[in-house]
Amino acid sequence: MTLSLGVRLFLLAALQGTLTPALCVGGVAPDLLLTSAILLGMSRDPTEGAVLGWMLGFVQGTLHGDSLGSFLVSRTLAGGLAGALRPAISHDHPLAPSLCVLALTFA
């Protein structure tokens, strides 16, 4: 992982804590780190997607203050599953990544 990716992930974690409360609709806020774990997993192999998901889960769990284990497991599985689904996803269709994020967010 390059330094620029690490900096981007840290900035994303900061945005998760500051920006998403303002984006709440009906008490539901977007989870930027879960979405990022899925999108990063889709652009890499399953192992690298799981590692990036684990890192995002660790950062989010540490900043959240509790439920570290659930953040680690959910982000690791999301990144790994997205990486495993990569060969089956049509990258030519513009809605494919969005539908994959939607499906893995509710899974």
Side-chain angles (χ1 to χ4, degrees):
M1 180 171 70
T2 63
L3 180 62
S4 64
L5 180 59
V7 170
R8 283 186 255 160
L9 295 179
F10 178 76
L11 290 174
L12 190 63
L15 284 174
Q16 176 72 32
T18 57
L19 181 67
T20 55
L23 298 175
C24 281
V25 176
V28 178
D31 192 339
L32 300 177
L33 294 174
L34 177 60
T35 303
S36 298
I38 294 168
L39 291 174
L40 287 170
M42 286 175 52
S43 66
R44 291 167 169 76
D45 66 356
T47 304
E48 195 171 347
V51 169
L52 287 169
W54 185 91
M55 291 170 50
L56 287 167
F58 182 77
V59 168
Q60 190 169 13
T62 303
L63 293 176
H64 194 264
D66 60 350
S67 304
L68 176 63
S70 65
F71 284 117
L72 286 172
V73 170
S74 64
R75 281 24 174 203
T76 302
L77 287 175
L81 285 173
L85 291 175
R86 182 180 183 203
I89 298 170
S90 171
H91 295 283
D92 296 331
H93 198 283
L95 289 178
S98 300
L99 293 174
C100 186
V101 168
L102 181 67
L104 286 173
T105 300
F106 287 111

